[in-house]
């Protein structure tokens, strides 16, 4: 079908672009640069080595420096062990079995490490992840084939509009006093016999809370295992923790990003390790290791008798390994049999341990941030699907295109909202923002349908009557600079820093006081965030407050909220070029992080020509909350 072939072409373009970027990173950057970018660990120490499942050698490595640096290594990704003696020739490829903050386990298809690994210093490079693209391409092929399958292809045809989704079936009554009417209505729809439910959750409307209650209600109604997936490990972590806290038996596939002992205990690996039968595996592994060690003691120049003895020892070790693998299969099956919910990333839904499982209901959270080809991986395992997200917030990460309204940016979530409005459940009460902060995003992006819960509608900082304000830098000479493809505005950053210093000083609240507000400064541009971070850290007036202040780009701040948000729009030029700012989804995320006070700083003569920002300035004027930078620089 043309639909899936067009998606496959877009995915090919993304893969080629992504691979070229990654290859250039490994070939053109120094080891130190790669460490800083989170794609290399060097040097490392090997702290353990053992033959694992399927005769794969698994080693445990530890970082020996740069412990404070973050990294991009994740479960299931391909890596390369290298030696500093000959980093191009001396390489061994493997797959990550576990990735923590400074510890990694890697599986290799060998029974012992090569000789070069015992001399020189070793490191680990992150390789390009072909597997994710392979899984997405396979899902598109499978979905295309399913269209002609009378039974299996029913959901695929419904989602593509090949057959009509009937009007929503009468929903069972669901009333929970802890939830508002829109949340109760959403869960009632999910409990009905609808093949599709779309949970649209604008900022602060309790989407995750609603999902957790919906999962509990589904388990009570049907007692069938659910698969819950999301595009990012972080989103999977959040749901896994919340479900566990609600008393749901959940198994997390893969390794959490969040380094939390309790979250680690919920992973499949930990569930297997803690299983009653795992002691038997430990004993068998000890026996297998003994035979392997004995075999390795034979030197290279030995005769037939020694060769036969060595072979016999290896054969015995392999025989025990097969026994271990069979026992592991039994334990994994038992763990899944007892689980009510399995959580994974979209690609993780095809993990070898659950690849062939089917589910009556699959839930995709943060679906508006998911590449469509990845969504088809879990959809093909489902009889019915629940999508949750908000297409008015950040889009998926697409590297090969900047046209943010087409191609892979145009998500399945958006398509289905447009095609099946009767199955869209909007959560319309937000529990985060003062009503003045909420009102413009609600009008511009949610047809004015958002309401502020009474508990937050009028909350403000103590003694403050301006929950929202815009400070206009037009005519001030605060012009943006463009260096090495990075945009910043140093004058605007210094103004923000001075305003922030006055603001926290005038609060007259002790840092130790619980009433002291949380504050974040966010901007669309990485170079601006780095410069702001630098000058704020050097400002003597702000030094006492550094632990309370956070500086981020918009993209890295989604999912968080603070009492006070400063936004540095950064753009200031005579051509009215606004770049990133034209994607109003980003600005929606930025504005809706603030609970009690939002301060936006920018150049109205640059941004005001855009409908969204022009409307925002009109709204600010209607509240009489417009200020000029000249009020501070007059």
């Amino acid at each position: 079908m043309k639909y899936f072939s067009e998606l496959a072409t877009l995915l090919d373009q993304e893969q080629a672009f992504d691979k070229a970027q990654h290859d250039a990173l490994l070939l053109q950057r120094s080891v130190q640069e790669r460490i800083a970018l989170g794609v290399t660990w060097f040097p490392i120490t090997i702290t353990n080595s053992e033959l694992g499942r399927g005769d794969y050698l698994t080693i445990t490595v530890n970082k020996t420096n740069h412990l404070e640096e973050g990294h991009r290594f994740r479960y299931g990704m391909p890596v390369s062990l290298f030696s500093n003696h000959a980093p191009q020739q001396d390489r061994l490829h493997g797959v990550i079995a576990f990735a923590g903050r400074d510890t990694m386990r890697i599986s290799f298809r060998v029974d012992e490490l090569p000789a070069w690994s015992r001399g020189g210093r070793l490191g680990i490079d992150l390789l390009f992840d072909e597997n994710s693209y392979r899984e997405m391409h396979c899902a598109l092929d499978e979905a295309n084939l399913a269209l002609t399958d009378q039974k299996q292809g029913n959901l695929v045809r419904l989602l593509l509009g090949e057959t009509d989704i009937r009007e929503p079936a009468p929903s069972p009554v669901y009333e929970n006093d802890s939830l508002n009417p829109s949340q109760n209505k959403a869960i009632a729809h999910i409990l009905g016999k609808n093949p599709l439910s779309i949970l649209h959750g604008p900022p602060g409307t309790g989407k995750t809370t609603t999902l957790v209650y919906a999962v509990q209600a589904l388990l009570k109604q049907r007692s069938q295992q659910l698969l819950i997936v999301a595009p990012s490990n972080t989103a999977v972590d959040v749901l896994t923790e919340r479900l566990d806290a609600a008393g749901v038996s959940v198994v997390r596939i893969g390794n959490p990003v969040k380094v939390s002992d309790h979250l680690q205990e919920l992973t499949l690996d930990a569930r297997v390790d803690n299983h009653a039968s795992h002691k038997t595996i430990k004993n068998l592994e000890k026996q297998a290791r003994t035979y392997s060690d004995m075999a390795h003691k034979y030197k290279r120049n030995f005769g037939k008798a020694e060769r036969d003895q060595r072979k016999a020892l290896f054969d015995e070790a392999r025989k025990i390994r097969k026994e271990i693998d069979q026992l592991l299969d039994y334990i994994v099956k038992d763990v899944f049999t007892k689980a009510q919910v399995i959580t994974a990333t979209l690609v993780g839904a095809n993990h070898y341990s659950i690849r062939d499982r089917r589910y009556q209901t699959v839930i995709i959270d943060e679906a508006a941030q998911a590449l469509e080809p990845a969504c088809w991986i879990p959809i093909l395992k489902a009889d019915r699907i629940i999508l949750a997200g908000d297409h008015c917030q950040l889009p998926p990460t697409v590297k090969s295109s900047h046209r943010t309204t087409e191609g892979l940016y145009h998500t399945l979530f958006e398509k289905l909202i447009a095609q099946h409005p009767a199955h869209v459940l909007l959560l319309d009460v937000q529990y985060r923002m003062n009503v003045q902060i909420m009102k413009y995003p609600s009008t511009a992006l949610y047809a004015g349908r958002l309401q502020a819960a009474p508990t937050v509608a009028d909350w403000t900082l103590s003694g403050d009557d301006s929950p929202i304000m815009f400070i206009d830098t037009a005519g001030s000479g605060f012009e943006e600079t463009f260096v090495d493809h990075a945009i910043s505005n140093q004058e605007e950053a210094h103004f923000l820093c001075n305003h922030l210093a006055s603001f926290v000083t005038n609060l007259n609240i002790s840092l130790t006081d619980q009433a002291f507000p949380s504050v974040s400064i966010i901007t669309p541009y990485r170079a601006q965030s780095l410069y702001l971070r630098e000058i704020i850290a050097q400002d003597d007036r702000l030094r006492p407050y550094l632990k309370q202040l956070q500086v981020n780009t918009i993209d890295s701040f989604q999912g968080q909220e603070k009492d006070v948000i400063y936004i540095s729009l950064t753009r200031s030029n005579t051509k009215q070029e606004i770049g990133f700012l034209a994607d109003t989804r980003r600005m929606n995320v930025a504005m809706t992080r603030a609970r009690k006070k939002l301060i936006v700083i920018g150049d109205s003569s640059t941004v005001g020509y855009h409908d969204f920002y022009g409307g925002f300035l009109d709204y600010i004027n209607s509240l009489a909350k417009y200020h000029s930078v000249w009020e501070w620089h007059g």
Side-chain angles (χ1 to χ4, degrees):
M1 185 187 179
K2 190 179 175 186
Y3 183 88
F4 289 112
S5 64
E6 286 177 351
L7 271 179
T9 300
L10 290 170
L11 192 59
D12 280 335
Q13 292 167 4
E14 180 72 5
Q15 182 173 357
F17 188 90
D18 196 6
K19 187 175 190 312
Q21 274 196 322
H22 193 89
D23 289 350
L25 185 67
L26 288 185
L27 291 171
Q28 296 168 14
R29 303 279 189 146
S30 68
V31 168
Q32 291 307 315
E33 287 175 315
R34 299 201 310 265
I35 290 169
L37 290 165
V39 296
T40 296
W41 283 12
F42 181 84
I44 52 109
T45 56
I46 297 176
T47 56
N48 191 32
S49 172
E50 60 185 12
L51 272 178
R53 191 181 184 89
D55 282 345
Y56 278 39
L57 178 72
T58 299
I59 66 169
T60 303
V61 305
N62 284 80
K63 274 186 178 185
T64 57
N65 57 18
H66 303 285
L67 301 183
E68 72 291 344
E69 299 273 5
H71 63 80
R72 301 189 208 171
F73 293 87
R74 297 287 178 263
Y75 170 84
M77 287 183 166
V79 292
S80 180
L81 177 72
F82 67 89
S83 159
N84 68 326
H85 280 330
Q88 298 308 317
Q89 292 82 33
D90 294 347
R91 284 194 173 262
L92 181 66
H93 294 347
V95 175
I96 298 172
F98 170 84
R101 185 178 288 151
D102 50 23
T103 304
M104 208 178 335
R105 286 203 310 275
I106 306 163
S107 294
F108 299 98
R109 286 190 173 187
V110 294
D111 54 16
E112 59 182 323
L113 290 175
W116 55 257
S117 68
R118 291 183 279 282
R121 294 198 297 171
L122 301 176
I124 301 288
D125 275 335
L126 182 64
L127 299 180
F128 179 67
D129 188 10
E130 300 270 4
N131 180 60
S132 295
Y133 286 100
R134 194 181 305 116
E135 293 286 8
M136 286 189 272
H137 273 297
C138 286
L140 294 178
D141 290 343
E142 198 180 325
N144 195 30
L145 287 172
L147 280 169
T148 57
D149 185 307
Q150 197 57 40
K151 186 182 176 188
Q152 293 287 90
N154 188 43
L155 184 59
V156 179
R157 287 189 294 274
L158 286 171
L159 296 182
L160 293 190
E162 296 281 299
T163 54
D164 291 332
I165 295 184
R166 61 185 177 275
E167 284 302 300
S171 299
V173 175
Y174 181 86
E175 287 295 334
N176 188 319
D177 292 341
S178 302
L179 302 176
N180 65 52
S182 69
Q183 291 171 322
N184 279 319
K185 182 183 174 187
I187 294 174
H189 188 280
I190 287 167
L191 291 174
K193 294 180 179 178
N194 304 290
L196 171 69
S197 296
I198 303 171
L199 185 64
H200 183 190
T205 54
K207 172 176 65 68
T208 304
T209 298
T210 306
L211 275 180
V212 170
Y213 276 108
V215 167
Q216 289 176 299
L218 278 169
L219 291 170
K220 190 175 179 181
Q221 180 198 57
R222 304 182 186 188
S223 300
Q224 289 179 325
Q225 191 175 75
L226 304 175
L227 174 66
I228 304 181
V229 291
S232 72
N233 276 291
T234 304
V236 178
D237 290 350
V238 168
L239 270 170
T240 303
E241 278 195 312
R242 291 285 297 272
L243 288 166
D244 176 67
V248 174
S249 171
V250 57
V251 174
R252 163 77 153 98
I253 303 295
N255 301 134
V257 170
K258 207 170 162 189
V259 182
S260 136
D261 288 344
H262 185 61
L263 201 49
Q264 297 290 349
E265 285 169 13
L266 301 176
T267 64
L268 175 60
D269 286 352
R271 298 274 195 191
V272 168
D273 287 347
N274 295 329
H275 194 276
S277 298
H278 199 260
K279 285 179 184 174
T280 309
I281 286 180
K282 286 288 182 193
N283 292 331
L284 289 169
E285 281 176 340
K286 197 181 288 183
Q287 290 176 36
R289 206 173 300 122
T290 301
Y291 284 118
S292 292
D293 290 346
M294 287 166 67
H296 284 301
K297 282 177 185 173
Y298 285 93
K299 305 299 178 192
R300 292 194 179 276
N301 52 346
F302 47 70
K304 183 179 183 304
E306 288 86 358
R307 196 176 292 113
D308 289 347
Q309 183 63 23
R310 176 182 163 105
K311 182 180 181 301
L313 289 166
F314 273 133
D315 285 347
E316 196 58 39
R318 286 194 180 94
K319 187 176 161 189
I320 296 171
R321 285 276 2 142
K322 281 184 182 172
E323 203 177 327
I324 291 169
D325 287 351
Q326 288 170 355
L327 190 50
L328 271 173
D329 287 340
Y330 158 74
I331 292 174
V332 167
K333 190 176 178 183
D334 191 49
V335 166
F336 283 135
T337 300
K338 292 170 181 170
Q340 294 175 296
V341 170
I342 296 171
T343 60
T345 60
L346 295 165
V347 174
N350 247 7
H351 184 268
Y352 76 89
S353 62
I354 56 170
R355 183 179 288 273
D356 299 322
R357 297 178 87 87
R358 279 195 66 82
Y359 310 86
Q360 186 175 29
T361 304
V362 168
I363 299 173
I364 303 179
D365 192 20
E366 301 297 356
Q369 282 188 268
L371 291 177
E372 180 175 347
C375 289
W376 287 102
I377 298 171
I379 288 171
L380 291 166
K381 302 174 184 296
D383 295 325
R384 62 191 295 261
I385 192 85
I386 297 160
L387 299 174
D390 180 15
H391 55 300
C392 300
Q393 295 189 62
L394 289 183
T397 300
V398 179
K399 298 174 183 176
S400 59
S401 170
H402 296 297
R403 297 177 181 175
T404 57
T405 56
E406 55 188 65
L408 291 176
Y409 278 113
H410 192 37
T411 62
L412 183 64
F413 186 85
E414 288 177 272
K415 294 173 186 176
L416 293 176
I417 275 190
Q419 286 173 20
H420 306 291
H423 294 269
V424 177
L425 295 313
L426 176 74
L427 303 182
D428 59 15
V429 181
Q430 63 84 18
Y431 298 86
R432 177 183 297 163
M433 296 160 271
N434 177 289
V435 69
Q436 286 188 21
I437 298 170
M438 174 205 78
K439 194 165 183 183
Y440 184 68
S442 175
T443 302
L445 297 166
Y446 301 105
R449 292 175 66 188
L450 281 190
Q451 309 161 45
T455 48
V456 304
D458 299 314
W459 68 358
T460 58
L461 298 175
S462 178
D464 183 49
D465 62 353
S466 295
I468 188 168
M469 63 191 294
F470 177 77
I471 302 175
D472 193 355
T473 65
S476 65
F478 291 6
E479 291 195 1
E480 67 189 58
T481 55
F482 188 71
V483 180
D484 293 334
H485 305 289
I487 293 174
S488 63
N489 189 325
Q490 296 190 356
E491 287 90 353
E492 182 175 293
H494 282 285
F495 173 77
L496 189 154
C497 188
N498 289 329
H499 191 281
L500 175 63
S502 298
F503 172 74
V504 292
T505 305
N506 293 336
L507 281 171
N508 289 321
I509 303 173
S510 164
L511 268 170
T512 56
D513 193 320
Q514 282 191 323
F516 194 89
S518 54
V519 182
S520 272
I521 303 97
I522 51 182
T523 171
Y525 295 95
R526 187 167 182 269
Q528 183 76 341
S529 74
L530 293 173
Y531 189 70
L532 278 162
R533 203 172 293 167
E534 183 184 321
I535 63 173
I536 286 170
Q538 293 170 355
D539 193 311
D540 291 340
R541 298 167 298 173
L542 291 171
R543 194 160 285 130
Y545 303 97
L546 287 182
K547 286 186 178 177
Q548 275 69 29
L549 301 174
Q550 191 178 349
V551 184
N552 277 105
T553 59
I554 295 171
D555 289 37
S556 60
F557 201 74
Q558 178 152 0
Q560 301 182 60
E561 56 187 71
K562 299 289 179 183
D563 294 324
V564 181
I565 291 287
Y566 276 83
I567 301 175
S568 170
L569 294 181
T570 308
R571 300 309 299 257
S572 180
N573 58 70
T574 55
K575 298 177 182 176
Q576 285 84 46
E577 290 178 350
I578 63 172
F580 259 169
L581 298 185
D583 187 347
T584 54
R585 293 173 290 190
R586 274 194 171 80
M587 198 44 53
N588 181 35
V589 169
M591 289 178 171
T592 57
R593 302 307 98 193
R595 288 193 283 251
K596 299 179 180 179
K597 192 173 185 72
L598 173 65
I599 302 167
V600 182
I601 301 171
D603 182 346
S604 65
S605 67
T606 299
V607 304
Y609 288 86
H610 189 283
D611 288 346
F612 180 85
Y613 297 98
F616 176 65
L617 291 171
D618 290 343
Y619 172 65
I620 287 291
N621 279 320
S622 75
L623 296 174
K625 299 302 179 185
Y626 171 91
H627 297 273
S628 168
V629 72
W630 296 108
E631 293 173 36
W632 288 269
H633 280 266

